[in-house]
Amino acid sequence: MTAPHPSDAAADARRWVPILARYRDPSDRRSLLEIGLTLGPFLLLWGLGWWALSISPWLAMPIAIFNGFFLVRLFVIQHDCGHGALFSNKTLGDWVGRALGVLTVTPYDVWQRIHAAHHGTAGNLDRRGPGEVYTMTTAEYRAESRLGRLRYRLYRHPVVLFGIGPAWVFLFENRLPLGLMRAGARYWVSAMGTNIAVFLVLGAVVMFGGLDPLLFLFLPTTVCAATIGVWLFYVQHQFEDTLYEHEPDWNLHEVALHGSSHYDLPAPLHWLTANIGLHHVHHLNSRIPFYRLPAVLRDHPGLEGAQRLSLGESLRCVRLKLWDEERRRLVTLADAFTPTPA
C-alpha cells in the first residue's frame, strides 16, 4: 500500500479541526460532578486506609495503591484545567487546577507551561525537550560514543522509566520550576506555593497520625499514580507507527492525529484514567473536556481505529526506543545496527 503524500496526510488531519470544535464547550455542572465523583472516593479511600493502619500497614498499602488510580484521574482533571477545557471561566479552571496540584504534588503553572510546549512540539525532531520521553533517531544512536549509548540505554530502561523516574519527577523534580528557572516569578510562586501547601498537609498528617500514614498511604498512592501516569504518557506517543518529522516537514495536526495513540482500555480503566487514552483526539483539539472524548469516537467511527493499541499490544511498546527515519517507525536498539530492507 502506498503511503499518502505528506501534504495529503496533513490536509486529512486538518479537516478534523472544525469538526472537533463542536465538542469544545464544557458543562460547568458536569465538570463539578466529575470532580466530586473522583475526589470523594479518593478521600474515602484515604480514610479507609487510615483506619486499616490501626490493624496493619500491610492492609493499608493495597488500599493506598488502588487509590493511585483516583489520583491519576484527579491529575487528568488538573490537566484539562491547564488546557482551559473544564470550565467556561478560565480563572475558575486555573484555581481548581492549582488546588488539585497540591494533591498531585504538581505545581500547576509550571506544568501547564511545559505541557503546552509538548503540544506545540510533539513529534518534532528539531525541538525535542522537556515534557516528553526523549527519543533518539537510529543515526544519532549509532553516532554516540559507548558511554552515550549506555546513558541512553539506562534512561530508556523500564526500571528507570517506570520505576525510579516517576517517583523522582513527582516527589523531587517538581519541587523546582526546572526548565523555567529564568522565565519569571510566576513559575517560582507556583512551585514554592505548591511545596508549602504540600508540606503543610503532610505536616498535619504526621502530627495526627505519625509517620505511618506518610509511609504507607501518601507514598504508595503518589508513586503508584506517578508510575501509571508516566506509563500512559509513554504509550500515547511511543508506539511503532507513531510519527516524527524534522522541522520543514513537521505539521502540528498531522503529528497530533498520527503521532498519538488511541489506547483502547477496558471501560473501568477508561473511567479511572479520564479517557486520556483517546489521545489522538485530545491532541487534535486539547480544549475538548475529557468526558466528551468518547462522544467524538461514537459520532466519528473513522477515528476509532486510528493508532489503536490494546492493553496487551501496549506492553510490546517498551522494546521500542529509537526512531528510524528510513523505516519510518520506532524500532529496538538492536534494529539500529540492522540493515534496512531493500
Side-chain angles (χ1 to χ4, degrees), residues 242-321:
T242 189
L243 182 62
Y244 283 89
E245 297 283 8
H246 283 287
E247 191 74 57
D249 299 316
W250 182 84
N251 178 273
L252 177 68
H253 301 107
E254 183 187 0
V255 169
L257 177 58
H258 299 293
S260 305
S261 67
H262 169 203
Y263 198 18
D264 195 7
L265 296 167
L269 291 180
H270 264 310
W271 189 89
L272 286 168
T273 58
N275 301 317
I276 198 65
L278 281 64
H279 212 62
H280 58 322
V281 180
H282 169 66
H283 262 260
L284 279 169
N285 193 320
S286 61
R287 292 288 302 277
I288 300 175
F290 70 89
Y291 48 79
R292 290 204 166 145
L293 292 174
V296 175
L297 294 190
R298 184 185 65 238
D299 297 344
H300 305 284
L303 289 171
E304 175 76 26
Q307 292 78 247
R308 181 185 175 277
L309 279 177
S310 68
L311 187 57
E313 290 168 337
S314 70
L315 299 176
R316 295 194 286 272
C317 295
V318 177
R319 303 171 56 248
L320 307 174
K321 305 177 189 295

Side-chain angles (χ1 to χ4, degrees), residues 136-153:
M136 279 186 172
T137 66
T138 52
E140 289 169 341
Y141 183 73
R142 286 194 295 264
E144 276 285 353
S145 65
R146 287 186 178 181
L147 181 59
R149 291 178 194 169
L150 176 61
R151 282 198 301 262
Y152 187 72
R153 287 200 300 272

Side-chain angles (χ1 to χ4, degrees), residues 111-165:
W111 176 87
Q112 182 187 43
R113 170 76 178 267
I114 292 174
H115 189 67
H118 160 69
H119 270 260
T121 61
N124 190 324
L125 289 170
D126 298 316
R127 298 177 67 188
R128 286 166 284 180
E132 63 181 71
V133 177
Y134 181 69
T135 305
M136 279 186 172
T137 66
T138 52
E140 289 169 341
Y141 183 73
R142 286 194 295 264
E144 276 285 353
S145 65
R146 287 186 178 181
L147 181 59
R149 291 178 194 169
L150 176 61
R151 282 198 301 262
Y152 187 72
R153 287 200 300 272
L154 289 174
Y155 165 71
R156 298 285 301 218
H157 194 281
V159 172
V160 175
L161 270 184
F162 310 117
I164 300 169

